[in-house]
Amino acid sequence: MVNAEQTDLNIAQPVLARFLEIHDTQASNARSELDRLRSLIDDAAERLMASFNEIGEISARQVMPSPMQDMEQAVGEAVSALQFQDMANQLVGHAVRRIELLERIAASLTRLPDLSEDDLANEIAGSVCTRPNGPVEQACMSGGSVDLF
Amino acid sequence: MAKTILAVDDSASIRRMVQFTLKGAGYEVIEAADGQEGLERAQAMQVNLVLTDQNMPNMDGLTLIRSLRAMDSYKAVPILVLTTESSAEMKQAGRTAGATGWLVKPFAPKGLVDVVKKVIG
């Protein structure tokens, strides 16, 4: 937790304190929300997977007449859609890491009296996320591209 | 005898979907939860194809590919990367490491089976 009272700044102390208070609250809330989102995703995926497996086992045991081939196609689409958990978890994980970076920068601000400008600039530069877009750029669950080398 | 595919991914749901899809197409599928475990499984048992994610704990996909390509028994074995990563830079890095192909998640079951059939029959 960042504490503005630990600093000895001459400028805008109340403003900095207010900034750090808002930052801490928002970062903490965002982290809790992302944790809840991850729990919901995991729970939903577990339940969907159980139903999906059951449907898969039933369809594998039966000879499929023509109308049942619609079910095969539906199962195929479900296989694509059920990969959402992996992609959503990667996005959540990346968002959490961004929050952690912001927390590190805010913590650096509280050490301003002990840090030179260069040290602060280096700490901030070292905290900047080198992947602006994160590992997941997909925005829908349709099938991705295939490249054979 | 069914050909064996090693599926390496830290997501249990992806491994399950790969298993479901490829078993349904007649392949044997063994699983590993990260690159390190994948390497150990590949060393313990010769497989016909490796299908690996890129971003994983302990050992990522590109490191796994380089490690496998350094082994005589895996110099010619097809290795496909199945990942959310879709940038040209990452694909090029995969190609340089020795990957046979690059599939971007989410995969469509028919598309995955078609690619696997193409590379190992």
Side-chain angles (χ1 to χ4, degrees):
Chain A
M1 188 63 75
V2 177
N3 182 0
E5 289 175 6
Q6 291 168 353
T7 69
D8 188 25
L9 296 176
N10 295 323
I11 52 159
Q13 183 76 359
V15 175
L16 177 63
R18 180 69 185 132
F19 162 77
L20 293 174
E21 184 189 323
I22 290 170
H23 173 277
D24 281 351
T25 305
Q26 295 301 319
S28 170
N29 288 347
R31 189 190 291 273
S32 300
E33 286 158 4
L34 287 170
D35 284 345
R36 285 205 304 279
L37 174 61
R38 185 175 281 183
S39 296
L40 286 171
I41 289 167
D42 289 347
D43 183 56
E46 202 172 305
R47 290 165 188 269
L48 281 168
M49 203 74 73
S51 305
F52 174 79
N53 283 342
E54 202 170 324
I55 291 168
E57 281 168 21
I58 291 167
S59 66
R61 282 200 301 268
Q62 293 175 352
V63 178
M64 290 197 183
S66 183
M68 287 292 280
Q69 283 169 0
D70 292 343
M71 184 170 153
E72 199 173 55
Q73 189 181 344
V75 169
E77 283 171 14
V79 168
S80 294
L82 276 167
Q83 295 166 60
F84 78 94
Q85 184 193 22
D86 172 53
M87 300 168 79
N89 274 340
Q90 285 193 56
L91 280 172
V92 169
H94 203 70
V96 168
R97 282 195 291 280
R98 285 184 194 282
I99 291 171
E100 287 168 354
L101 293 178
L102 288 173
E103 286 173 341
R104 283 218 297 275
I105 290 173
S108 296
L109 289 176
T110 67
R111 293 165 49 217
L112 268 179
D114 305 322
L115 284 177
S116 70
E117 242 179 78
D118 283 348
D119 288 340
L120 182 64
N122 286 337
E123 285 211 8
I124 290 175
S127 298
V128 171
C129 181
T130 54
R131 296 200 55 172
N133 295 323
V136 180
E137 292 185 41
Q138 293 84 335
C140 71
M141 294 306 296
S142 61
S145 63
V146 174
D147 291 278
L148 286 180
F149 303 138
Chain B
M1 189 176 166
K3 290 182 174 164
T4 304
I5 296 167
L6 170 60
V8 188
D9 202 304
D10 58 332
S11 164
S13 60
I14 294 289
R15 294 199 305 274
R16 187 84 62 90
M17 292 300 105
V18 168
Q19 173 97 241
F20 178 85
T21 299
L22 295 178
K23 269 198 163 176
Y27 298 101
E28 197 62 44
V29 181
I30 59 173
E31 299 180 10
D34 60 43
Q36 185 59 47
E37 191 185 334
L39 184 59
E40 287 162 12
R41 302 219 65 177
Q43 285 167 332
M45 177 189 181
Q46 182 69 38
V47 301
N48 301 102
L49 169 77
V50 177
L51 183 65
T52 180
D53 187 16
Q54 161 54 17
N55 298 313
M56 295 178 286
N58 301 320
M59 183 189 287
D60 65 27
L62 295 187
T63 308
L64 171 63
I65 294 170
R66 288 187 208 102
S67 304
L68 289 172
R69 289 301 185 219
M71 298 162 57
D72 285 342
S73 54
Y74 279 93
K75 282 201 191 312
V77 171
I79 304 176
L80 298 172
V81 182
L82 176 63
T83 176
T84 56
E85 299 277 1
S86 56
S87 70
E89 293 78 13
M90 284 302 295
K91 288 179 187 177
Q92 184 53 46
R95 188 176 190 163
T96 304
T100 309
W102 194 276
L103 289 74
V104 176
K105 292 174 183 173
F107 70 84
K110 186 179 179 311
L112 178 62
V113 171
D114 286 349
V115 172
V116 170
K117 276 188 180 157
K118 199 168 183 176
V119 294
I120 60 170

